[in-house]
Amino acid sequence: MNSLLLALKKIHIHPLFWFVVGIAIITAHFLELVLLVTIILIHELGHGVMAHVFSWRVRKISILPFGGVAEVDEHGNRTLKEEFLVVLAGPIQHVWMIGLALGLQQLEVVSPHILELFIQLNLMVLLFNLLPIWPLDGGKFISIIFANYFTFLKSFEYTLLCSLSFLALFNVIVLIIAPLNLNLWIVLSFLYVSLWGEWKQRRYIFMKFLLERYYGKTTNFHTLKPIVVDGDEDLLTVLERFQRGFKHPLVVFQNGSEVGKLDENEVLHAFFAEKMTTAKTRDLLYVY
């Protein structure tokens, strides 16, 4: 209950949403809007509540003109299991909502038209969110899969490239079956802009991942994944090989022979605290 109350306090209504409300009233689609916003709000609250359960820092839960988003201040250093459950907590809300609507249909206590519309909108939101396109839930599931096999930076880049491919395919489908649907074109435009913005910010996001790993909340990694590095590699190149969910001891080689070992925190400290941004890995062996 406390997690729900905390999530409710984070709700933010985008100013343009009220413009959409006005359009819905004028065009006699207010009922559809109310049902859709209710579904989206419950979906996003699912993410928010689960994030609070794991003590994630939830910035806000925004209700946008054409959807919603739960914004968190976590930068890839929570466990993949936690992230999977936080992402899953959104889509899973549609299961009980559809089940409730079907139960009410049997009891005949609510208009069949409203319940049918409610079920259709639930399925629409669920299926749309499961599209493998970042930042939709389906795109985040893809990101979690990539994170199991690739470095943080590579997994994020692969997620964005994969998302762009699916978005282009979705674009072609819309062009064929619903070329005059303004709402779909607005959503497509939003997704293209989001992907472009994330691609431009990918290095910044990577740096936030490293900073969170160094300065942020301590995470207990249960799996060690040593990284073999050449003494002539610069620190940034080494940091680009860091992967989510693993602690990285570094084994330093020079001219084919092992010359020492470093802890990942030593590299992070040298890069961020000591500002040794141009240093070679071998230099740290003499410092530490």
Side-chain angles (χ1 to χ4, degrees):
M1 179 59 71
N2 288 337
S3 295
L4 177 58
L5 292 175
L6 288 171
L8 286 171
K9 291 179 180 179
K10 301 290 185 177
I11 295 175
H12 170 75
I13 307 295
H14 193 283
L16 286 178
F17 171 77
W18 302 114
F19 174 75
V20 175
V21 171
I23 296 296
I25 294 173
I26 293 172
T27 58
H29 288 90
F30 187 67
L31 174 61
E32 289 88 338
L33 179 66
V34 170
L35 292 177
L36 183 60
V37 170
T38 300
I39 291 167
I40 291 172
L41 179 59
I42 292 174
H43 176 107
E44 298 303 333
L45 281 173
H47 291 309
V49 170
M50 186 61 73
H52 276 298
V53 167
F54 290 122
S55 299
W56 284 29
R57 296 162 296 178
V58 180
R59 266 195 298 171
K60 61 182 177 180
I61 298 172
S62 298
I63 303 301
L64 307 174
F66 297 95
V69 60
E71 300 179 29
V72 298
D73 280 328
E74 302 296 334
H75 307 296
N77 283 297
R78 295 302 187 125
T79 66
L80 293 174
K81 179 181 178 181
E82 279 188 18
E83 182 161 348
F84 174 78
L85 291 175
V86 170
V87 175
L88 181 64
I92 206 70
Q93 303 308 312
H94 300 284
V95 176
W96 72 261
M97 284 193 283
I98 292 174
L100 177 62
L102 291 173
L104 291 174
Q105 274 187 337
Q106 298 298 319
L107 296 175
E108 298 182 351
V109 295
V110 180
S111 166
H113 168 69
I114 294 177
L115 292 174
E116 183 178 349
L117 182 60
F118 186 72
I119 292 172
Q120 289 175 353
L121 290 173
N122 258 289
L123 290 172
M124 180 188 74
V125 173
L126 173 61
L127 294 176
F128 176 74
N129 266 282
L130 289 179
L131 290 174
I133 301 170
W134 185 273
L136 303 178
D137 293 337
K140 292 178 180 177
F141 284 131
I142 293 271
S143 175
I144 292 170
I145 293 172
F146 283 146
N148 280 286
Y149 302 101
F150 303 104
T151 65
F152 176 87
L153 185 58
K154 286 297 181 185
S155 65
F156 188 60
E157 290 179 341
Y158 292 159
T159 297
L160 297 180
L161 292 172
C162 184
S163 297
L164 181 61
S165 300
F166 280 108
L167 182 56
L169 177 61
F170 183 47
N171 197 154
V172 172
I173 293 172
V174 170
L175 193 60
I176 294 172
I177 66 175
L180 301 179
N181 191 311
L182 180 60
N183 288 339
L184 284 176
W185 286 112
I186 292 174
V187 170
L188 279 168
S189 300
F190 168 77
L191 291 174
Y192 276 119
V193 171
S194 295
L195 284 177
W196 175 240
E198 293 287 287
W199 181 261
K200 289 196 301 182
Q201 294 288 316
R202 68 190 187 283
R203 302 294 302 190
Y204 172 68
I205 292 169
F206 169 60
M207 283 297 159
K208 289 203 295 185
F209 160 72
L210 294 178
L211 282 167
E212 176 76 12
R213 196 168 179 121
Y214 180 55
Y215 292 112
K217 179 180 178 181
T218 302
T219 301
N220 294 319
F221 297 107
H222 300 291
T223 306
L224 295 179
K225 188 173 185 178
I227 298 177
V228 177
V229 301
D230 189 282
D232 290 324
E233 287 187 78
D234 59 75
L235 299 190
L236 182 58
T237 302
V238 173
L239 292 172
E240 287 176 350
R241 295 165 65 182
F242 278 27
Q243 187 174 349
R244 290 186 58 182
F246 295 98
K247 175 78 171 178
H248 294 303
L250 277 69
V251 183
V252 184
F253 276 74
Q254 191 77 39
N255 299 321
S257 301
E258 181 180 333
V259 293
K261 295 180 180 179
L262 293 167
D263 185 84
E264 69 168 53
N265 288 331
E266 293 174 325
V267 180
L268 289 166
H269 178 78
F271 190 82
F272 289 112
E274 301 295 335
K275 309 300 181 184
M276 298 172 63
T277 55
T278 60
K280 304 296 183 183
T281 309
R282 65 171 182 270
D283 298 335
L284 302 191
L285 296 176
Y286 303 108
V287 174
Y288 298 104

